[in-house]
Amino acid sequence: MIKEYLKLLAQRESKVVLGKYYSNMWVLAIVFIATFVSIAFSNGSMVYLEEKMNDPFTNWVDIPNDAETSKFNDFKDMLEGKSTRERFYIKNVQFDLYRALQIFNNDLSTSHYLRCRFFGDMHSDITKAILNKDNIVNDCVIDTAILSNNTPGVIMTQDAIERIGYSVDSLPAYVDYMAFNEDADLKFGVDLFGSSDTAKFFPMPLPLLGVVKRLPSNLDFVASSRLYNALTEPDYLFILEEHPDYLESILFSVSRDYKDTFEANVRSLNLPDSISPLKIYTCPEGMHDNVLSWRDDVIYQIYLEGDDILPEANYDVCEKIKAVCDPIAVKRVYSYENSKANSPTGAYLSVNFASLDSIRAFEKFAKDNYGVRVDMTLVNSKENFNAVSVMANILSWAMIIFSIVCIVMFIVNMLQSYFQKVKRNMGTFKAFGINSAELIMVYVGIMLVIVIAAILIALGVSWFAELLLPLFGFVKEGGYNYLHLWNSKTLWSILIIIFSTVVTVCIVMSKQLKQTPGDLIYDR
């Protein structure tokens, strides 16, 4: 139990140690604020770098298929081996293709060329990263159970969606691909769009599988290789002359909260006498999964019955349906079922790494053994993530050590200055029998209270700054905060500061109190 006179001594001397208007405590608090903000900033940088290091977008390496100058197929087969994957920390490998596609604006008045990557595997780790909930815009993503390598749908960025005229607050379920159809207007009576008589296009809807904040390699959208096949196969899937069945098969994708209105509008249509009342069927679940979008609509099949129904009659009926329905809630779609399911050899070999630790060894291995060249700029950028991560960690600890040294120096100077004022009192205390150990214990307690109070103030201010920065829009790419206070480094810093305070007070006060009471009283 602490003796009463020591308690009284601590109460009186703490006021002197604190300084006028608690100046010493506020100075310490300012130093601690600078320390913790520095730690929080370094922690924030480390969290950001760590996320980047583990980001599949960062760990995704593109290797062009240069089969003429390399043993590319042998290289690809080698990467499928378990031992090779373990050696270079490879998660998965896939063949991809690339093509820029012309997509209609939302009002069909103009178009945009958008950059698309066609994935050989829509269930790869990179697809999972793309469809991560943190990357999704307004919950716009298809059920991954429906997603397959056979879907002609696309995953687009928010930027691309806005460029073709849509709003994030009213995202479409489908986007229209500009399919070249030179004579379809004459043969089937459909409306074509284009700038000249020879360049005429039909809007072919592609299911929108998701809208995301970003895609790797600054792509505008990604799709399965099945869509690439549909665009390049000999009978070219989207040419109506080759596939008049698309016009004869009437499918509508309807938002679930609009289905009753849709059915009522269709039944109330004023049709020619040659056409019997329309038959409307709700397609069974799973029947047309390849036309489903992120919105999980109801798919309706509509049949026309009558004498000599021509394709243009189907088209006219569809136009009448579209005219009486909400264009956002209702979209005519086509079940693209004739495309080949197999994928050709890819234009790119996409290698997704679990870690970048062996990226340089991988680059050298590919070049020396198979003649496959990985872009050195890409490799260097991957290496730099590792180097910056190590440097940031070293600088973070150096900053902590420097801050603690500054704090210790402040405490030393403060105690020495204080002791010069009260050394006669210290001599008197010792003359009355209070030993040095008891006096040191008192000053350790006083300094601990002051330091802990300053730490709490500094933590509060730093945490408030961390919460406040995002509110004013100060965030890193991807929404990462510049500050990240609560971390093991912060805890270790607090423990080291407290330990350093105790050790510093003990050393300084022991040195000062080793003099005799007479020397202290008479300043000898």
Side-chain angles (χ1 to χ4, degrees):
M1 181 177 290
I2 301 176
K3 300 174 182 178
E4 289 299 324
Y5 64 84
L6 292 178
K7 291 182 181 179
L8 181 61
L9 176 62
Q11 290 174 2
R12 295 189 175 233
E13 293 303 309
S14 60
K15 296 178 181 179
V16 181
V17 175
L18 280 169
K20 191 175 183 181
Y21 303 117
Y22 306 110
S23 58
N24 289 331
M25 187 186 72
W26 290 118
V27 169
L28 273 178
I30 292 171
V31 174
F32 288 146
I33 289 171
T35 301
F36 291 135
V37 168
S38 299
I39 292 172
F41 182 78
S42 66
N43 287 341
S45 299
M46 290 298 296
V47 168
Y48 178 74
L49 281 172
E50 186 176 354
E51 290 293 332
K52 284 293 183 182
M53 290 287 291
N54 296 321
D55 187 352
F57 293 1
T58 302
N59 296 358
W60 192 36
V61 174
D62 291 336
I63 305 174
N65 184 356
D66 187 12
E68 294 184 1
T69 60
S70 66
K71 296 180 280 188
F72 196 84
N73 289 330
D74 293 340
F75 178 65
K76 191 260 183 183
D77 293 339
M78 178 275 303
L79 290 183
E80 296 291 346
K82 181 179 179 181
S83 60
T84 304
R85 293 193 178 203
E86 291 177 350
R87 176 182 175 184
F88 296 113
Y89 307 105
I90 295 172
K91 294 182 73 173
N92 70 284
V93 181
Q94 66 184 40
F95 265 139
D96 294 341
L97 302 112
Y98 172 84
R99 184 168 177 163
L101 299 185
Q102 204 167 359
I103 305 295
F104 270 115
N105 213 50
N106 67 335
D107 58 3
L108 304 180
S109 61
T110 185
S111 64
H112 299 264
Y113 276 101
L114 301 180
R115 300 169 62 246
C116 181
R117 186 72 166 262
F118 300 89
F119 284 176
D121 182 8
M122 289 297 284
H123 296 99
S124 64
D125 290 322
I126 191 66
T127 306
K128 294 175 184 177
I130 289 170
L131 297 180
N132 184 280
K133 64 179 182 179
D134 294 332
N135 197 36
I136 299 298
V137 176
N138 289 358
D139 296 324
C140 176
V141 63
I142 195 170
D143 183 356
T144 53
I146 300 174
L147 186 65
S148 74
N149 290 332
N150 198 41
T151 178
V154 298
I155 301 170
M156 299 187 72
T157 62
Q158 177 181 334
D159 174 69
I161 283 290
E162 291 174 340
R163 265 188 283 156
I164 60 176
Y166 293 99
S167 167
V168 175
D169 297 325
S170 182
L171 292 169
Y174 301 83
V175 293
D176 292 309
Y177 167 65
M178 287 185 67
F180 179 73
N181 281 269
E182 184 177 1
D183 299 320
D185 51 348
L186 301 177
K187 291 184 177 180
F188 306 116
V190 301
D191 293 328
L192 297 182
F193 302 84
S195 57
S196 67
D197 292 337
T198 58
K200 293 184 290 188
F201 302 88
F202 188 75
M204 303 297 282
L206 300 176
L208 186 61
L209 306 178
V211 178
V212 296
K213 299 173 185 175
R214 63 191 184 108
L215 287 171
S217 302
N218 292 320
L219 294 167
D220 294 311
F221 65 104
V222 296
S224 71
S225 57
R226 185 264 172 94
L227 180 58
Y228 184 91
N229 296 335
L231 296 169
T232 56
E233 62 184 2
D235 58 350
Y236 188 49
L237 187 64
F238 298 117
I239 295 180
L240 294 179
E241 291 91 326
E242 301 289 341
H243 303 281
D245 51 307
Y246 288 153
L247 294 176
E248 297 168 5
S249 177
I250 302 178
L251 290 176
F252 275 93
S253 180
V254 180
S255 176
R256 292 186 181 274
D257 56 5
Y258 194 79
K259 56 181 295 189
D260 293 338
T261 304
F262 173 77
E263 293 178 10
N265 288 348
V266 171
R267 291 193 175 94
S268 65
L269 284 178
N270 185 18
L271 300 175
D273 295 337
S274 60
I275 299 177
S276 301
L278 301 179
K279 294 185 179 296
I280 309 173
Y281 296 96
T282 303
C283 295
E285 186 175 346
M287 182 175 180
H288 292 290
D289 279 353
N290 64 326
V291 304
L292 285 178
S293 70
W294 66 269
R295 204 167 59 186
D296 189 26
D297 287 355
V298 179
I299 306 299
Y300 282 93
Q301 178 87 53
I302 297 177
Y303 295 97
L304 276 65
E305 294 184 351
D307 299 329
D308 300 323
I309 300 296
L310 300 174
E312 50 264 38
N314 287 275
Y315 183 75
D316 290 339
V317 169
C318 289
E319 291 301 298
K320 288 179 181 293
I321 293 174
K322 289 159 64 176
V324 297
C325 292
D326 182 353
I328 299 297
V330 176
K331 181 76 173 181
R332 185 183 180 185
V333 296
Y334 305 98
S335 186
Y336 308 121
E337 296 176 349
N338 294 328
S339 175
K340 294 176 291 187
N342 62 300
S343 174
T345 298
Y348 290 91
L349 188 62
S350 298
V351 183
N352 190 25
F353 290 87
S355 168
L356 299 177
D357 292 342
S358 298
I359 187 72
R360 175 66 65 177
F362 175 80
E363 183 273 333
K364 187 175 185 303
F365 175 81
K367 182 176 67 176
D368 293 348
N369 294 278
Y370 295 90
V372 174
R373 295 185 177 273
V374 182
D375 185 357
M376 285 302 298
T377 303
L378 188 63
V379 172
N380 288 336
S381 67
K382 310 290 184 186
E383 277 189 322
N384 288 340
F385 272 110
N386 269 339
V388 171
S389 177
V390 173
M391 289 174 60
N393 202 26
I394 293 173
L395 289 174
S396 173
W397 281 109
M399 193 179 306
I400 293 171
I401 293 170
F402 177 75
S403 298
I404 291 172
V405 169
C406 291
I407 292 166
V408 168
M409 290 177 64
F410 175 80
I411 293 174
V412 170
N413 290 331
M414 183 182 69
L415 286 176
Q416 287 179 342
S417 175
Y418 163 78
F419 195 83
Q420 292 303 316
K421 298 177 183 177
V422 299
K423 61 188 306 184
R424 288 182 174 85
N425 294 340
M426 295 295 104
T428 303
F429 293 150
K430 291 187 70 174
F432 277 99
I434 301 177
N435 61 50
S436 297
E438 290 178 318
L439 291 173
I440 291 172
M441 182 181 67
V442 169
Y443 284 98
V444 167
I446 292 172
M447 287 306 304
L448 278 179
V449 170
I450 296 173
V451 167
I452 291 173
I455 287 174
L456 293 176
I457 293 171
L459 288 174
V461 172
S462 302
W463 190 25
F464 182 71
E466 179 180 334
L467 299 176
L468 203 60
L469 284 180
L471 299 179
F472 288 95
F474 295 103
V475 291
K476 294 180 181 178
E477 175 192 2
Y480 293 101
N481 200 329
Y482 279 95
L483 303 179
H484 185 75
L485 179 63
W486 306 114
N487 187 277
S488 60
K489 287 182 184 176
T490 303
L491 176 60
W492 277 110
S493 299
I494 294 172
L495 294 177
I496 292 173
I497 287 170
I498 292 174
F499 176 77
S500 300
T501 299
V502 173
V503 172
T504 302
V505 173
C506 289
I507 292 174
V508 172
M509 294 305 294
S510 296
K511 183 178 179 181
Q512 298 293 339
L513 291 172
K514 70 180 181 179
Q515 301 179 63
T516 64
D519 290 340
L520 291 172
I521 294 173
Y522 297 106
D523 195 16
R524 293 198 293 253

